[in-house]
Amino acid sequence: MSSNVNPAQFRLGKPLVVAIDGPSGSGKSSISREVARRLHAAYLDTGAMYRAVTLSCMEAGIDLTDSVAVEAAAENADIALSLSPDEEWVRVSGRDVTDAIREPVVSSSVSAVATTLGARAELVRRQQQLIRDSGLRIVAEGRDITTVVAPHAEVRILLTASEEARLRRRGIQLGGTQTAAALKEQVLVRDAKDSTVVDFQQAADGVVTIDSSDLDFEETVSAVLEVVFTSTH
Ligand SMILES: Nc1ncnc2c1ncn2[C@@H]1O[C@H](COP(=O)(O)OP(=O)(O)OP(=O)(O)O)[C@@H](O)[C@H]1O
Ligand SMILES: Nc1ccn([C@H]2C[C@H](O)[C@@H](COP(=O)(O)O)O2)c(=O)n1
């Protein structure tokens, strides 16, 4: 699929919040980042915030099954993250944790934080503030952006891909270092846990589904830009 959409067609000055949800490995982060670049918009990776709270809890020795302690950790966490699609960094209490939050040990524990409702409420509140602070020109991605964080976004997309495509992509992304079982744990098992508190497998009313299983990266970016264009014109 190709696109003749020219990002210059999206006028600056008007609010343009693009909300993108989807399961693990569907391409949300990488596609959203590239779409944000092309739209000259900010980029918000909400999963990085769940990961940062998880790392904080693990380093503080907090029991991730203790929902009161996890909620308190989310409320107290001093998280800063880049909203530029051209710069990737996440800091907790001023310390750079950009790489640490991507470690498999965090990936396999993060669902405990993501399923703690009090922690979600705190992070949703912060995400909504970050979207307002962006001047409402932002691509925000996660699991509940189209439904909870930004249900009134100008553009709402569910980015999906088959399990097979998602496992293959994540395997390549991790340099072939993971066993098939480890990949399933990090992608499918995590999705199953996260799905207990938020539905990111089915598009809510008004949300456009893009299935990228048979699209390459560039074709997927084009498909998202097409939806942005048709939703705003
Ligand atoms: N359409 C595509 N075709 C091929 N590879 C893709 C496509 N979309 C994304 N990818 C690649 O798949 C990998 C996983 O993408 P990404 O990390 O963006 O997924 P994600 O949905 O954000 O996952 P998670 O929620 O687990 O963080 C990346 O290496 C990315 O470059
Ligand atoms: N809006 C969000 C964003 C993320 N999560 C959860 C789901 C994942 O297990 C975890 C990390 O996300 P990722 O970096 O893999 O996209 O955070 C969520 O529940 N809601």
Side-chain angles (χ1 to χ4, degrees), residues 112-135:
V113 171
T115 54
T116 301
L117 297 182
R120 292 197 76 80
E122 170 63 17
L123 294 186
V124 166
R125 190 187 61 71
R126 293 193 197 193
Q127 289 155 13
Q128 290 172 332
Q129 186 63 48
L130 288 168
I131 290 170
R132 283 192 291 274
D133 291 348
S134 76

Side-chain angles (χ1 to χ4, degrees), residues 20-35 43 139 141-143 159-162 165-166 169-170 173 210 212-213 217 220-221 224:
I20 301 185
D21 289 325
S24 180
S26 59
K28 296 179 302 298
S29 314
S30 49
I31 298 291
S32 298
R33 187 185 295 279
E34 184 56 25
V35 167
Y43 163 65
V139 181
E141 54 92 2
R143 304 293 190 287
L159 183 59
T160 63
S162 66
R166 293 187 289 119
R169 289 174 187 170
R170 181 51 42 84
Q173 187 179 31
I210 296 176
S212 71
S213 308
F217 188 87
T220 309
V221 170
V224 171

Side-chain angles (χ1 to χ4, degrees), residues 8-58:
Q9 291 167 292
F10 303 105
R11 279 187 288 142
L12 292 170
K14 284 175 81 176
L16 179 58
V17 177
V18 180
I20 301 185
D21 289 325
S24 180
S26 59
K28 296 179 302 298
S29 314
S30 49
I31 298 291
S32 298
R33 187 185 295 279
E34 184 56 25
V35 167
R37 279 191 195 110
R38 305 228 187 147
L39 294 175
H40 303 290
Y43 163 65
L44 175 60
D45 174 358
T46 60
M49 299 172 73
Y50 287 90
R51 289 170 178 274
V53 173
T54 305
L55 182 69
S56 297
C57 288
M58 292 170 79

Side-chain angles (χ1 to χ4, degrees), residues 6 13 24 30 71 77 94 102 131 142 149 164 173 177 215 232:
N6 176 356
S24 180
S30 49
E71 179 178 344
R102 306 287 166 196
I131 290 170
V149 176
E164 190 260 321
Q173 187 179 31
T177 57
L215 304 180
T232 54

